[in-house]
Amino acid sequence: MCGIAGVMYHDSSRPVAPETLIAMAAIQSHRGPDKAGWKVIEDRGVGFGQARLAIIDLDPDRAQQPFISADNQYALIHNGEFYDYKYIRADLTSRGYRFASKCDSELVLHLTDRLGLEGALPHLRGEFAFALYERSADRLTLVRDRFGVKPLYWTLTPEGLVFGSEIKVLLAHPDVKCRFSSQGLYHQLMQLMVPGTTAFEGIYAVEPGQTIAFERRDGRLQIRKQKYWDLNFPLRRERGKSLSDEAYIEQLRHHFVEAIQLRLEADVPVACYLSGGIDSCSIMGVAAACQQSPVKAFTIGFDDQDYDETAIAREMAQAVSADQDILTVKGGQLYEHFKQAIWHTERSIYNTFTVAKMLMSEYVHNSGYKVVVTGEGSDELFAGYPQLRLDYILHGMEDAPPQEKADLQAWLQQSNSLFKGNLLAENTLDDPALTKQIGFTPSCLQSWLSAAPLVSNLLHPEHRAATKDYSPGSAIAQTLDKEQLENRHPLDKAQYVWIKTQFESQVLGWAGDRVDMANSLEARPAFLDHPLAEFAVTLPINMRLRGRQDKYILREMMRPLLPKSLYERQKFAFMAPPSHTDIKKQKAMRGLADTYLSKSAIADSGLLDSEGVNQILLRHENENTPISQRVQLDAVINHLLSVQMMHEHFVATNIPQLARDLAVELGWI
C-alpha cells in the first residue's frame, strides 16, 4: 500500500528530474510515510516515484518500489494489495521465476512476462492501481482495480504523461497547471460526477476495471483505453431456473469466508471497522472466528441519537468477544476539520460523515493499526439501499397489484424519512437522456439531478455562460455501457448505475480511500472480492429483496451469528447529522461560510455568484423551509464550501513548491 507517481515524456531523450519524482511522492506522504523510492529509465523519458506504507514484506530495502525486472524489460509502481499472492508466487517460482522480495507487488512483473499484461489481469485479486512500463513496446499502462477502490489520476501536458494516486501528486509536477473546468465545477455543486472526470481541466481518473496504455510512436504518446472487467449482470432470458435458498447461501458463505480470510493476511496487525449495520457486523463475526486472539474493532459514534449506531455495534462486539474502541464525534468537530478533509478528498462532499471517517482513521492509526477490513460493497451487490428498492418497486414489479406497490412505496418513504432530499429525492425526476439509455432515471441519481436547477444561479457568470446548454444527465448517460444495461432486470440496472457512479466516486472515494489513507490506513472491503461479486450478480431478485427485507441472502447466511435486533433491522445509511439538526453545527458551518462564502472570498476565486450563494444561505436558515429542502440545501452549502476550499488548496497554492518543501522536511531530498 502506498502512493504512486510517475511520468512518461513524448521525447524519450527528455531527462526526468529525480527531485520532481520525490516531491510528487512527498506531497502524498500521508499515504506512505515509511519510505520514499524512485527510479528513472534514462533512455526512455520514464520515471516512477513512491511513498511507501509497509504492510507486506516490512524489509525497508528489499520491498522498496519501483521494481525493475532482472532483464530490464519491465518497470512497475503499484498501490494496493494482491491477495492469493503466496500461491501465485509459489506457482511462478515452480516455473523458474525468481523473486527479489516477499512483496505481493512483484508478481506483476513475472505474471506479465509469462502471460502478457492482458493475460495477467484475471489473476490479480484485490484492490490496486499500478503503472507498468514495457521496454520492448515502449508502452506505459495504467491499471485500476475492478471497482475503483484505489484511486489513479492522469493528465497530458505538452511534454507528456503525468500520473499519480491523487490529484495533488499531478499538481506537484511543475508542468501541470490547475484550473477548474466549468463542467467540473457544475458537477461539484450537485455532487454527482461524470465517471472518469475531475473538477479540474485536463485531469482525469482511470475508471474502475480499465487500462489506459500510452505508447510512444514517432515522438508522441498514443492513448488506448480498454475495459478489462465489468459486472455482467445476466440477461433476463439467461437467468433460468433458480437454485434453492440453501444452495445460494452456501455458495455465498464459501466466497465470503474466503474473502475475509484473504484480507486478514498482512505482516502488521489487522482490525475491523464496526458500525451498527449488518455488513460490518457480518465481517466482524467471521473475522473473529478466523483469528486466535480477539479482533480489534473500531466504531464511530455521534452525539445525535437519530444517527448514532454505537449501541447495536456494541452488542455485536460483545457477541463475538471483540476488543472494541468507540470514537464519539461531536457535531462541532466536523466543521472544524472540514477544510483538512477537502485537502484529502480533492472534491466536494455533501455530508460531514466524510470528516468523521477521517477522524476515525486518525484514531485507528494512532492506536497502532495500518489495516482495517471494511463492509463497503454489500449494499451495492445485495440491493441494500432504499433508492435501489424504490426502482424495483416502480419498474421491476410488473406483475404486482397496484395497491401492493403503493403500500411498499409508502412504507419505504416513511421508514427513510430521515434521508428524504438526500438518498431519496423529494420529487420524482425524469432525465430524458438517462431514461433513453437505461429505460428509466435511476432513483439513486434523482436527488442529485434535482439539485441541478440550483447550480446555474450559484455559478460565476463566466462558468454559467459556459454551461448554459449543459445537461449533466446526458453527460453521465454517455459514459454508461449500453451493452451492460440492455435486456437486464430493472433492479440489476439500478445497481449497475449506482456502482458505476456514486459508489466509485463517493463511497469508495471521498468516504473511503481518501480519508482512510489521509492517515496511512489501508481499508480492505471484503465484499468487493471479485469472485464474490461475480457470484452476487447471478442472484435472483428474491435472494436480494424479499418482503420488506433487504440483503435477504446475507441476513439468512449470518442469522445464527447476528443479534436478533440486528437481523431484523432495516438498512440505515451511515451519515453524520446535517448542520440544521444541531445548533453547534449550524454555528460552525456558518463560521466557515463567513470566511469562504463572503463576497470578497467569492470574488477572489471567480467560481461562484455571491448573490446566488447568499440566497441559498438565507433559505437554509429559514425555519419555515421544509426539512427535506433543508437537507438538500445543507448538501449544497457543503458543496459551496468545498469548491472554495479546493480553490485555496489547489489553485491558489504553489503545489510544486509545497511538495519540494515537504520533501526536504521529510529528509527525502
Side-chain angles (χ1 to χ4, degrees):
M1 176 59 67
C2 63
I4 64 174
V7 300
M8 181 181 186
Y9 294 133
H10 294 297
D11 182 356
S12 61
S13 65
R14 180 182 174 88
V16 177
E19 57 270 22
T20 297
L21 297 174
I22 296 170
M24 293 168 72
I27 200 70
Q28 57 181 330
S29 58
H30 51 275
R31 298 188 69 89
D34 294 332
K35 191 175 181 182
W38 62 272
K39 280 190 172 68
V40 171
I41 303 176
E42 298 286 357
D43 60 336
R44 294 301 176 98
V46 172
F48 290 162
Q50 181 210 36
R52 187 180 187 222
L53 179 64
I55 290 174
I56 302 292
D57 193 348
L58 305 185
D59 187 301
D61 298 315
R62 183 176 62 194
Q64 183 63 55
Q65 296 187 52
F67 285 124
I68 307 291
S69 63
D71 61 2
N72 290 317
Q73 284 301 306
Y74 304 103
L76 172 76
I77 192 77
H78 164 238
N79 167 35
E81 300 296 342
F82 297 126
Y83 305 113
D84 260 0
Y85 70 95
K86 289 181 178 179
Y87 173 83
I88 295 173
R89 184 173 65 208
D91 177 83
L92 289 167
T93 298
S94 74
R95 299 174 188 277
Y97 288 96
R98 295 293 173 261
F99 286 76
S101 76
K102 293 292 186 180
C103 180
D104 59 308
S105 303
E106 190 183 353
L107 63 85
V108 173
L109 299 176
H110 304 305
L111 269 179
T112 301
D113 183 71
R114 178 169 178 258
L115 303 171
L117 180 57
E118 187 174 347
L121 290 175
H123 297 271
L124 301 180
R125 185 176 186 175
E127 44 273 356
F128 50 83
F130 65 85
L132 179 74
Y133 177 72
E134 301 169 82
R135 177 179 283 271
S136 61
D138 201 11
R139 177 174 61 233
L140 185 151
T141 305
L142 301 178
V143 182
R144 194 174 179 200
D145 66 68
R146 294 168 179 83
F147 286 95
V149 180
K150 295 292 116 189
L152 188 55
Y153 297 93
W154 64 278
T155 190
L156 281 181
T157 73
E159 288 71 32
L161 169 70
V162 182
F163 69 87
S165 294
E166 299 186 3
I167 293 172
K168 62 180 70 70
V169 178
L170 280 58
L171 302 180
H173 193 292
D175 290 343
V176 179
K177 309 307 176 189
C178 187
R179 181 179 184 275
F180 276 85
S181 73
S182 295
Q183 294 180 357
L185 176 60
Y186 190 107
H187 282 273
Q188 294 300 309
L189 295 179
M190 60 175 288
Q191 183 61 211
L192 191 58
M193 296 280 290
V194 178
T197 70
T198 71
F200 304 109
E201 201 167 276
I203 296 178
Y204 307 98
V206 180
E207 294 182 48
Q210 184 183 62
T211 65
I212 306 181
F214 300 84
E215 193 164 327
R216 195 183 281 119
R217 288 283 181 268
D218 300 321
R220 301 297 297 177
L221 297 181
Q222 307 298 316
I223 304 174
R224 185 178 74 256
K225 298 179 182 181
Q226 186 172 334
K227 181 166 63 175
Y228 69 87
W229 187 88
D230 212 334
L231 286 155
N232 292 319
F233 281 96
L235 298 172
R236 297 186 82 164
R237 67 173 181 272
E238 293 175 349
R239 283 198 172 272
K241 185 179 179 181
S242 295
L243 305 176
S244 67
D245 286 6
E246 292 74 19
Y248 283 121
I249 289 169
E250 287 310 308
Q251 287 186 61
L252 177 59
R253 193 187 316 278
H254 164 76
H255 290 299
F256 187 55
V257 172
E258 183 179 57
I260 294 171
Q261 282 183 311
L262 288 170
R263 280 156 182 78
L264 292 172
E265 172 74 33
D267 294 337
V268 296
V270 179
C272 292
Y273 275 159
L274 179 63
S275 69
I278 188 175
D279 315 322
S280 64
C281 288
S282 297
I283 288 171
M284 183 81 244
V286 173
C290 288
Q291 303 210 145
Q292 296 295 95
S293 56
V295 175
K296 188 70 176 180
F298 291 94
T299 299
I300 301 175
F302 295 110
D303 59 354
D304 183 325
Q305 291 305 307
D306 285 342
Y307 294 83
D308 184 63
E309 296 184 289
T310 55
I312 199 162
R314 188 181 290 112
E315 186 178 356
M316 184 65 198
Q318 291 171 351
V320 297
S321 301
D323 178 13
Q324 185 186 30
D325 267 9
I326 297 175
L327 174 68
T328 300
V329 179
K330 297 182 179 179
Q333 288 179 274
L334 297 171
Y335 280 100
E336 290 173 13
H337 298 274
F338 194 99
K339 181 181 176 182
Q340 179 190 0
I342 298 303
W343 168 255
H344 291 291
T345 64
E346 301 177 327
R347 59 152 296 173
S348 64
I349 62 175
Y350 76 85
N351 183 270
T352 52
F353 74 81
T354 310
V355 185
K357 279 285 299 288
M358 184 182 71
L359 295 176
M360 172 57 91
S361 70
E362 180 182 38
Y363 183 79
V364 175
H365 174 83
N366 291 340
S367 299
Y369 288 85
K370 290 183 174 182
V371 183
V372 288
V373 183
T374 69
E376 289 91 349
S378 171
D379 290 307
E380 285 68 26
L381 296 175
F382 305 123
Y385 290 117
Q387 60 268 42
L388 300 177
R389 182 187 281 271
L390 181 57
D391 284 337
Y392 171 62
I393 295 169
L394 294 175
H395 310 291
M397 296 178 64
E398 298 98 333
D399 300 327
Q403 189 58 49
E404 180 184 349
K405 294 171 67 173
D407 290 346
L408 271 176
Q409 188 172 351
W411 161 77
L412 187 70
Q413 295 286 353
Q414 189 278 327
S415 58
N416 289 278
S417 58
L418 202 61
F419 308 112
K420 194 170 184 181
N422 184 320
L423 296 181
L424 295 173
E426 184 178 13
N427 299 302
T428 301
L429 180 147
D430 179 74
D431 183 275
L434 286 165
T435 296
K436 181 179 179 182
Q437 185 80 331
I438 303 165
F440 56 92
T441 299
S443 298
C444 66
L445 306 184
Q446 288 187 32
S447 60
W448 307 118
L449 288 169
S450 68
L454 300 174
V455 171
S456 181
N457 289 335
L458 297 173
L459 291 171
H460 184 280
E462 178 185 330
H463 293 294
R464 187 184 304 143
T467 55
K468 182 176 181 292
D469 299 316
Y470 181 64
S471 167
S474 179
I476 292 166
Q478 290 173 28
T479 69
L480 299 173
D481 187 343
K482 194 167 183 63
E483 289 186 3
Q484 291 286 325
L485 294 165
E486 285 181 331
N487 300 313
R488 263 68 175 198
H489 189 280
L491 181 60
D492 295 344
K493 293 180 180 184
Q495 290 177 237
Y496 182 82
V497 172
W498 169 262
I499 289 170
K500 290 298 178 179
T501 55
Q502 292 291 76
F503 182 54
E504 180 267 333
S505 66
Q506 173 185 311
V507 179
L508 297 179
W510 59 255
D513 172 272
R514 310 311 293 277
V515 287
D516 291 321
M517 287 299 284
N519 293 292
S520 312
L521 185 68
E522 174 180 285
R524 298 177 170 182
F527 285 103
L528 298 184
D529 194 46
H530 78 271
L532 190 159
E534 289 170 353
F535 162 72
V537 299
T538 69
L539 290 170
I541 304 303
N542 71 351
M543 293 304 293
R544 289 173 266 173
L545 301 175
R546 186 171 298 188
R548 295 191 176 185
Q549 277 194 333
D550 54 51
K551 295 182 283 194
Y552 175 78
I553 186 172
L554 182 62
R555 289 179 190 277
E556 293 305 303
M557 181 184 76
M558 298 304 299
R559 187 173 189 168
L561 191 60
L562 297 174
K564 185 172 184 289
S565 59
L566 179 57
Y567 168 79
E568 295 177 347
R569 188 181 189 226
Q570 189 187 347
K571 165 70 183 177
F572 184 87
F574 174 63
M575 197 168 293
S579 66
H580 71 268
T581 63
D582 180 343
I583 189 66
K584 290 182 179 178
K585 284 192 76 174
Q586 285 185 52
K587 289 180 178 178
M589 186 268 281
R590 189 68 213 205
L592 288 182
D594 289 344
T595 300
Y596 288 96
L597 301 179
S598 67
K599 185 171 286 190
S600 60
I602 288 173
D604 288 343
S605 70
L607 300 176
L608 304 174
D609 181 279
S610 183
E611 180 57 32
V613 170
N614 191 51
Q615 290 300 315
I616 292 291
L617 294 172
L618 290 174
R619 281 182 60 197
H620 183 263
E621 290 176 355
N622 188 341
E623 293 185 0
N624 293 322
T625 300
I627 292 297
S628 60
Q629 290 183 25
R630 293 183 82 184
V631 169
Q632 185 181 66
L633 292 172
D634 190 87
V636 173
I637 293 169
N638 286 338
H639 296 156
L640 293 169
L641 291 170
S642 297
V643 298
Q644 288 291 96
M645 291 174 182
M646 289 165 66
H647 183 274
E648 181 178 301
H649 282 317
F650 308 119
V651 180
T653 300
N654 185 336
I655 298 292
Q657 184 62 54
L658 179 64
R660 288 192 296 271
D661 292 345
L662 186 54
V664 171
E665 180 183 327
L666 291 166
W668 291 359
I669 291 181

